[in-house]
Amino acid sequence: DVQSGARRTLFTTPDLSVSEFALGADDATIWFTAGEKARTNLFTVPASGGQPRRVLKGGSIGSINPANGFIVFSRSSLIAPPEVYRASADGSGLKPLTKANERWLKDVTFTQPESVTVNVAGGPVQYWLLKPPHFDAGKRYPVVFLIHGGPQGVWGDAWSTRWNPALWAAQGWVIVAPNPSGSTTFGQEMVDRISGDWAGRIMQEIDGVVAEVSKMPFVDPERMGIAGASYGGYAVNWILGQQPDRYRAAVTHDGVFNLESMSMSTEELWFTEWEFGGRPWDPKPREQFAKFSPHLHAHKINTPTLIITNELDFRVPVDQGLQMFTVLRRNGVPSEVLVFPDEGHWVLKALNSRYWHEAVFGWLKKYL
């Protein structure tokens, strides 16, 4: 309450994590977006409190602007770049206001992503399955598993210009993007499960997805790759040291390699202390840092690996990738390192992005 300064809870169920919100034109309705099972949907709730009502389902809905009797917003999906839409206040009459991507999309072939759920490690794990364009069920395809960052993040039904699963599938691979422990949009309990357990239950869940996918008749289990960034890069680094013969090739982008040294050089000091329960020299966290650090298992890696690390990355500093590169090269593992001097945690510049994609896809094609 702006006038009195009093606070009140508008709703506690369902278990939604609100992202954007805006006050409606009537001053009595709050519009908001929130993730539900890997999609970002549009809701309303009375400003006085009450039960949220889902107005529209994603894809991924954002940039919401409610007006008198209608709302304008952006919407995208795994196979559709963002466009601006309008809908009536009750969600009816949905129509696009822009068609900025229409011309080039006419020349692009997509396959419809499939949302699949498998029960593993004591609970359900959702993953996206994307088949390559012109898919032939009689053939066997290489498969690449994409591990998302965060770890409190999600592979959502959303377009991306960085890691775009549909673009990966267009290389001729089956793409699998799992949402295991730590993933958002599946309730706070699932998000919280990752803290203090970076390589426990989540790795069983990823293994369960890999096991199910590798049995699919159109997948070649002898040609599997794995790739990830940030925590996803950490997961790749860990998995390669635990399962050195499972994958033909790997890509690890800005991935944590040495938990101890990363925790003392990252700009995000609070994060590692929250995730591991303290500083690396405190007795209990020290055990956690040692238990879950990929660098202590790196001598077992023999998977050909492309490492990407960026000089302006202060989240997972450049030395993390260089440390891993040093170990792999000293052990004779086929490996290359790609360092962008002008990028941070994400590769955002257009020509750098093109170079990144050519390097990543070229590396995987070489081995898959």
Side-chain angles (χ1 to χ4, degrees):
D1 190 305
V2 176
Q3 290 176 336
S4 70
R7 297 183 179 189
R8 64 179 182 273
T9 300
L10 299 189
F11 70 91
T12 56
T13 57
D15 184 358
L16 296 173
S17 185
V18 175
S19 44
E20 291 182 43
F21 61 91
L23 189 62
D26 59 3
D27 286 343
T29 305
I30 293 174
W31 292 79
F32 68 92
T33 61
E36 279 187 306
K37 297 182 178 176
R39 291 181 169 91
T40 304
N41 301 326
L42 178 65
F43 298 83
T44 60
V45 66
S48 57
Q51 188 70 11
R53 182 176 70 88
R54 188 197 299 128
V55 178
L56 283 169
K57 284 186 74 171
S60 182
I61 294 172
S63 303
I64 56 174
N65 283 276
N68 228 328
F70 67 95
I71 184 166
V72 175
F73 53 90
S74 74
R75 189 185 200 189
S76 76
S77 75
L78 280 162
I79 55 173
E83 296 286 2
V84 180
Y85 286 81
R86 171 187 166 136
S88 298
D90 61 0
S92 64
L94 176 68
K95 67 175 183 179
L97 298 181
T98 62
K99 295 181 180 178
N101 298 285
E102 187 176 51
R103 186 177 298 172
W104 69 267
L105 283 173
K106 289 177 181 173
D107 301 322
V108 178
T109 303
F110 293 100
T111 54
Q112 193 67 35
E114 299 169 44
S115 176
V116 187
T117 301
V118 57
N119 279 303
V120 61
V125 174
Q126 184 267 356
Y127 63 92
W128 294 102
L129 180 75
L130 288 88
K131 296 168 183 170
H134 314 297
F135 174 75
D136 180 349
K139 289 184 180 178
R140 281 194 147 194
Y141 292 87
V143 57
V144 180
F145 296 89
L146 302 182
I147 314 301
H148 70 63
Q152 295 86 355
V154 67
W155 287 118
D157 187 10
W159 188 259
S160 174
T161 54
R162 291 187 290 115
W163 289 67
N164 185 310
L167 180 60
W168 287 60
Q171 308 310 307
W173 311 319
V174 170
I175 298 301
V176 176
N179 284 315
S181 287
S183 298
T184 56
T185 78
F186 297 90
Q188 194 60 35
E189 182 186 344
M190 183 140 171
V191 175
D192 293 341
R193 268 200 319 240
I194 193 69
S195 298
D197 190 29
W198 269 32
R201 176 169 178 163
I202 183 173
M203 297 304 172
Q204 296 174 35
E205 293 169 339
I206 292 170
D207 278 351
V209 172
V210 171
E212 179 177 83
V213 170
S214 63
K215 292 176 195 163
M216 293 177 175
F218 49 84
V219 163
D220 184 352
E222 298 299 314
R223 289 186 294 159
M224 301 202 305
I226 190 167
S230 196
Y231 174 86
Y234 163 88
V236 170
N237 299 346
W238 177 267
I239 289 167
L240 296 183
Q242 305 297 316
Q243 300 168 334
D245 301 314
R246 172 163 268 185
Y247 298 97
R248 276 273 187 94
V251 176
T252 173
H253 172 113
D254 291 346
V256 180
F257 178 69
N258 182 330
L259 273 170
E260 264 196 26
S261 64
M262 179 266 185
S263 73
M264 290 180 279
S265 57
T266 179
E267 108 279 49
E268 202 177 38
L269 285 174
W270 66 269
F271 179 70
T272 48
E273 293 183 16
W274 171 267
E275 291 295 289
F276 293 93
R279 303 164 299 184
W281 56 84
D282 295 330
K284 192 173 179 188
R286 192 172 186 175
E287 293 172 20
Q288 285 270 86
F289 277 88
K291 181 180 179 183
F292 291 134
S293 190
H295 83 285
L296 297 175
H297 303 273
H299 59 284
K300 297 179 277 188
I301 297 175
N302 59 31
T303 305
T305 302
L306 172 65
I307 299 162
I308 302 157
T309 184
N310 303 324
E311 289 185 14
L312 301 183
D313 185 356
F314 307 119
R315 181 71 38 83
V316 182
V318 65
D319 72 286
Q320 293 293 303
L322 298 182
Q323 287 184 52
M324 184 173 182
F325 183 58
T326 298
V327 174
L328 297 192
R329 289 302 282 254
R330 290 192 67 181
N331 288 347
V333 179
S335 48
E336 291 182 7
V337 65
L338 174 59
V339 182
F340 287 99
D342 57 344
E343 296 285 5
H345 201 50
W346 304 274
V347 174
L348 300 177
K349 296 180 179 179
L351 293 180
N352 286 348
S353 175
R354 178 175 178 166
Y355 193 93
W356 184 97
H357 280 90
E358 289 172 350
V360 168
F361 293 158
W363 183 263
L364 291 169
K365 283 176 181 174
K366 180 178 178 180
Y367 293 98
L368 298 185

